[in-house]
Amino acid sequence: MDEKNFTTVKEFILLGFTTDPWLQRVLFYIFLIIYIISLLGNITLISLICSDSRLHIPMYFFIGSLSFLDLWYASVYAPQILVTCISDDKRISFAGCLAQFFFAAGMDYTECCLLAAMAYDRYVAISNPLLYSQAMSPRFCASLVAASYFGGFVNSTIVTSETFTLNFCGDNVIDDFFCDLPPLVKLACDVKESYQAVLYFLLVSNVITPTVFTLASYLFIIAAILKIRSTQGRVEAFSTCGSHLTAVTLYYGSILFIYSRPSTSYALERDKVVSVFYTVVIPLLNPLIYSLRNKDVTDALRKMIEKAVS
């Protein structure tokens, strides 16, 4: 395509989910309720982990770190979704779109790495219970979380710079509710093989590698559980992994579904639904997954409620 056909895009228009005003209002209240519950759930879980000494162990440190990440993760997406649903002005500036994309990608990649670190934590806890506290020291746990953030945002810087230096062909309408990779690539005039190679590199390093690491950790976990002689001991050991395994399946599954395909095969309407799941629903589900199935957390919550009403 000739250079003269390229147009400098200064802003984008987010189409959202529908143009029906009534349905937009319905979606606004649905997403508002989900966002509020998500904030309350994650804040409550963080408060419980900080206030109850029984939860001051590595496993809950990682769960608290995940809840903290989900607080900001939901806040990157939800406000823009709410504005898109309720406002007639659906514009977002080029800089605003870039900033949202950068922080969203950074938190995406960080959560992938953090979930892998949590899988390693479960492996150490089950395979070496006597050395668990020593092996997963506070400094080591903090280093794993810091490394997850560092790797996530370094790679976010790469994908953001590569994406927002693409040439857009004048069309600035994003068929989505936020600035995501598939609709932005659809607006590009030419997606070179080098850009596709960068996307595959980031997919391998930030999604596939943590996924493989997590699967390997669970293979070692299963091998360690099989060495436990009593059936009750096996059930108790595996029950400590159930919540994390559920969270991993939901998150990695939705991420791989969208980003593991070539850019030419993006289906925006279908991807939009999946995007809602991992951007809005998963930050709501994570505190429920890690609390409702966890006796220590439910006991801590009951203790907090009793203390509040007494």
Side-chain angles (χ1 to χ4, degrees):
M1 183 172 289
D2 296 332
E3 188 71 23
K4 63 182 181 180
N5 291 329
F6 298 152
T7 304
T8 301
V9 175
K10 297 182 179 179
E11 63 182 19
F12 295 98
I13 299 174
L14 300 171
L15 291 184
F17 297 94
T18 178
T19 56
D20 185 335
W22 181 85
L23 189 54
Q24 284 182 343
R25 288 193 294 272
V26 172
L27 290 173
F28 172 82
Y29 289 113
I30 290 174
F31 286 124
L32 179 61
I33 292 171
I34 290 176
Y35 182 47
I36 292 173
I37 295 175
S38 177
L39 292 181
L40 292 176
N42 284 292
I43 290 172
T44 300
L45 188 53
I46 293 171
S47 300
L48 289 174
I49 292 171
C50 292
S51 62
D52 197 308
S53 59
R54 294 174 299 176
L55 304 182
H56 292 174
I57 61 174
M59 181 179 76
Y60 293 110
F61 172 77
F62 285 112
I63 292 175
S65 299
L66 181 63
S67 288
F68 179 78
L69 180 63
D70 280 341
L71 273 176
W72 298 109
Y73 191 66
S75 297
V76 168
Y77 297 105
Q80 184 63 58
I81 294 174
L82 296 174
V83 170
T84 303
C85 287
I86 202 68
S87 175
D88 292 330
D89 185 2
K90 302 183 185 299
R91 293 176 299 173
I92 182 172
S93 67
F94 186 90
C97 187
L98 185 150
Q100 185 188 65
F101 184 94
F102 170 76
F103 285 107
M107 291 177 188
D108 279 336
Y109 297 149
T110 299
E111 185 150 343
C112 288
C113 296
L114 187 57
L115 289 172
M118 294 171 73
Y120 177 74
D121 169 73
R122 291 297 81 217
Y123 161 68
V124 175
I126 292 174
S127 62
N128 296 295
L130 297 179
L131 299 176
Y132 176 54
S133 297
Q134 181 179 351
M136 301 299 293
S137 64
R139 172 177 286 187
F140 182 63
C141 292
S143 297
L144 288 177
V145 173
S148 298
Y149 274 95
F150 178 77
F153 279 93
V154 165
N155 286 292
S156 175
T157 302
I158 295 172
V159 71
T160 302
S161 62
E162 290 290 331
T163 300
F164 282 84
T165 53
L166 291 172
N167 293 305
F168 298 105
C169 302
D171 189 1
N172 66 340
V173 178
I174 296 178
D175 188 10
D176 211 330
F177 57 91
F178 70 103
C179 293
D180 198 12
L181 184 65
L184 285 169
V185 170
K186 285 288 187 180
L187 296 183
C189 301
D190 57 339
V191 179
K192 298 179 180 179
E193 290 184 4
S194 59
Y195 176 76
Q196 194 69 57
V198 170
L199 294 187
Y200 281 130
F201 167 76
L202 294 173
L203 177 70
V204 170
S205 61
N206 293 281
V207 182
I208 294 179
T209 298
T211 302
V212 171
F213 184 85
T214 300
L215 291 174
S217 297
Y218 273 100
L219 289 176
F220 286 115
I221 287 171
I222 292 172
I225 290 175
L226 292 177
K227 294 178 182 179
I228 301 174
R229 295 183 178 181
S230 67
T231 303
Q232 182 179 356
R234 291 179 180 179
V235 173
E236 290 178 354
F238 193 75
S239 65
T240 64
C241 305
S243 298
H244 177 258
L245 191 57
T246 302
V248 163
T249 302
L250 293 174
Y251 190 75
Y252 284 164
S254 56
I255 290 289
L256 285 170
F257 177 82
I258 292 182
Y259 298 109
S260 61
R261 293 166 292 135
S263 60
T264 53
S265 66
Y266 290 147
L268 298 185
E269 287 300 322
R270 180 185 59 193
D271 293 348
K272 198 184 299 186
V273 176
V274 180
S275 296
V276 170
F277 186 75
Y278 81 81
T279 59
V280 179
V281 178
I282 285 183
L284 167 70
L285 292 180
N286 277 341
L288 298 177
I289 291 171
Y290 285 106
S291 60
L292 295 180
R293 300 181 59 182
N294 191 306
K295 186 176 182 300
D296 292 335
V297 174
T298 54
D299 287 345
L301 179 60
R302 184 172 61 252
K303 181 180 176 181
M304 175 183 283
I305 294 173
E306 291 174 352
K307 185 177 180 180
V309 298
S310 62

